[in-house]
Amino acid sequence: MKDHIDAPASLPFDGAAFRQALAARGFRGQVRTDRAARVVNATDNSIYYREPDCVIEPRSAEDVAAAVAAAAEVGVPITPRGGGTGTNGQALAQGVVLDLSRFMNRIVAFHEEEGIVRVEPGVVLDQLNAFLKARGYVFPPAVSTGSRATLGGMVATDASGKGSRRYGRTSDYLVSAEVVLADGRPATVGDLAADAPLPPGPLGQAAALLRDRLPALSGDIARVFPPMNRGLTGYNLDEVRGPNGELRLTKLLAGSEGTLAVATALDLRVVKLPKHFGIAIIGYADSLVALGAVADLLPADPDAIEFLDDRTVHLGKTSPAWPVLEPVLGADLASSGGYLFAEVSADTPEAVADRLAAVERAALAATTRATGLIATQDAAVMAALNGLRKDAVGLMGKGKGAFKGVAFVEDAAVPPENLVAFVAGFRDILDAHGLEYGMYGHADVGCVHVRPLMDMRRPEHRAKIRPISDAVADLARAQNGLIWGEHGKGVRGEYVELYFGPDLFAFLRRIKAAFDPANRLNPGKLVTAFGTDLAVDRIDAIPFRGARDERIAGHTAFAKASECNGNGACFHWDSANEMCPSYKATRDRVQSPKGRAALIRDWLDIRDTGGDAAPAADALAASLATCLSCKACTSQCPVHVDIPTLKAEFLADRYAHRSRPLRDRLVRHMEALTLVAARVPRLANLGMAIAQGGLARAFGLVDLPRFGVRGLEARMRAAGARRLAPGEGLPAGVDRDNAALLVCDSFLGPFEPEVLESAARVLARLGVQVFHTPIQRNGKAAQVRGYLDAFRATRDAAVARIDAYAALGVPLVTVEPAVTMLYRQDYKLEEGVLTSLDRVLMSLADRMPTGAGARFRLIGHCTETSADPGNLTRWQRIFAAAGLALTPQRAGCCGMAGMFGHEAENRALSRQVFDLDWAEKIGAGDEVLATGFSCRGQAERFAGARLRHPVQALEAALRVGTGGAGG
């Protein structure tokens, strides 16, 4: 601040010299100076855009040491990066970004007898807890981004989250860390006894400084550090010195945000996982009333008390969790203005019930009146509640039209007894700026996340960042709290001196100088080295992402790309999660929805400002080439960034004035050619067998499916289903309440008509008179390749046919999930116009005859399962009604995704995606069923497994169970 002068952290980046220095040290990881990697790493979940010069992805501790030493030699700053979910630009930097998430993500060892696990810094929190859960343990700090937050990043910010009143922060579990210091030498950070000899190098210098000067600062530390669960972090001075004079250097490392050293391995203490859990949901008239009731509940000693306001819950009503929650909450709770979620755990259900009863008694005995209360131990309800809370960050990102929840003062914290006054003051600040907002967070520890609804494309809104931040910093100090209570400091390091005061601030700078005297490690964050003139970053001196978005605001076709707020939900670690298969297979963030949205923005920005957009367009095209167009991001991204639709728009733009590849021209007409070939399936199969080499050479197409030899018409006649042409009426005497029309699609109709036959037979057994359409064109392939005019023409014609069929007054039933979702997501047809087979069978479940009692497992189609998770449950209930056992399983994407898996250059990636989860799940055990046509084809292609559609298994079981008689 005043005593600082702005100065560069390094010389201009010399990529050749840096690569040479890396090679000389045997670096084996990836070095990326391409624009795509730099653009994708220029953002996180904050409001900033800061482009690095280079991104490197180390594979080992030796690689990290080589990278840090090379950076020191060349004179370039280097910044470690984990999950990329920071809300304050913690890992945004110029120079070199060290991505520790892509390759250094192994759980190295678990010592159960000691309760210690060793992990590499790129291991994701939920990944670790899935590993530990199978062994009865848990790593307690719980953050809402646990599906993608890395342990290295959690150490860097000393993360806490839900339950921190009982379980504390990440630093409470960090036993030791293997690190690389600023000069490239490795070191071990742990406890150092009061009389232990000092280690060599920077670590020893820092330890000597702490031993010599920390005791004299104890009074300042006691005065400055607030008496609350959330610490000042930024080197944790209040906890570095132990009761016997030992130095707890892990407390120094945790919260240092990569400014002191780079972690390469972490030894973490874990605890026994409670066996049973429960939640009490309590509603109040409004948010302040709810926050005022927190003190009433604390005597019941719940594990955590979480808070959501009515705006956040209203947004949550669009999430997949809401259908589970709505009937549970009831009218009183669903209409409340503020909510507390009190969570408890114990080793028996009875003990959980007792703890929930204590919470209920405390709530009912309080002077603060609740509008409603329910308590539950139901696993599905608790999962939905936790999902709603975890999704709150993303849900606020959806916001209200152009106004989105913006993170920049969202994690301020105060002692819980000051919470109502603090939130009231916070409201006054935002009201004075004319901003709406949403609130949620950890009420029991005084940390309530507040995200103002802003449009950062507007200069007047960007201008509010400074006055609001300053006002909230002053308010938090006045309430004996912090402007940063949970998510680290990042560029908010400019407030460190304000909070610490001049003496402690100077001491922090001396610690930084002992570790990193040249400001090479994440320079400008928290503090800068004593004796240097480098300034700390300022909250309004880093480029705003919204300023770039303002320049491209007119592109309505690509507007969704600008809505990506960097929350990183697409970096979900679990391969069974449907979004995003190309990222999960490669771990390359350029090949992710967030990465693709960033590249779309970059391409538009360069083009609109008159630059040479060709390199940016090529980088974007390369990234989109690995997009499977599976549509999982359309529903699973919290802000619904629909990359497949954006991809189609980009391809339409890209090829508006250039020649198309030969394969594209074939794909445009492939659906029409398929319907012609389906009339002569034997001849078509023979021709494809003869021409397969030529198809691969000329068009790059491999492993194309074979036509069903016994065609659709023959199968439908055998099943007793009559064909209806568009405009044709129903025969006289048809009971419309017991009739249905199967919509035959261009996947199943030509290639697997036996599935449609089974659907017709099962419906007939349930007393339904079945009709069917001819095979319907849908235009999906044309859409995926960006032939948007052709797609729209096909869509409009298809909608006209569907409207004509709908006039018949009987259910129109779809069987193939990809087509069902196309109709819903791209045709915008409501559920009442077309109904999926599982919904129809569910409505007829009471007519179901008893099957043979067989057991099955079911994997749903990723596009449908991501948008409608209930489809798996419906199939389970249908099978149960027939006396059959069905266990639903989620397995992510199979890797086929329409034409993607048939494109020769994508075959290896297609196999890689399949091997992530599908290969294991279709192994030994009960028979696996799959709802998706492409999924069944992929299983046969790569695993030699011929899977059935669930309706085929149901039809066969009912045939056996009824001795072949009709139902």
Side-chain angles (χ1 to χ4, degrees), residues 761-772:
R761 289 186 182 276
V762 169
L763 288 170
R765 286 175 186 274
L766 301 181
V768 175
Q769 187 171 355
V770 181
F771 299 88
H772 75 93

Side-chain angles (χ1 to χ4, degrees), residues 42-86:
T43 60
D44 54 7
N45 192 201
S46 73
I47 56 180
Y48 300 106
Y49 181 93
R50 200 177 206 179
E51 204 171 295
D53 297 294
C54 176
V55 178
I56 60 176
E57 299 160 344
R59 298 181 182 272
S60 64
E62 292 75 18
D63 274 354
V64 173
V68 174
E73 176 187 325
V74 176
V76 61
I78 187 164
T79 300
R81 180 177 174 123
T85 58

Side-chain angles (χ1 to χ4, degrees), residues 477 751 913:
R477 283 185 74 224
F751 302 112
V913 172

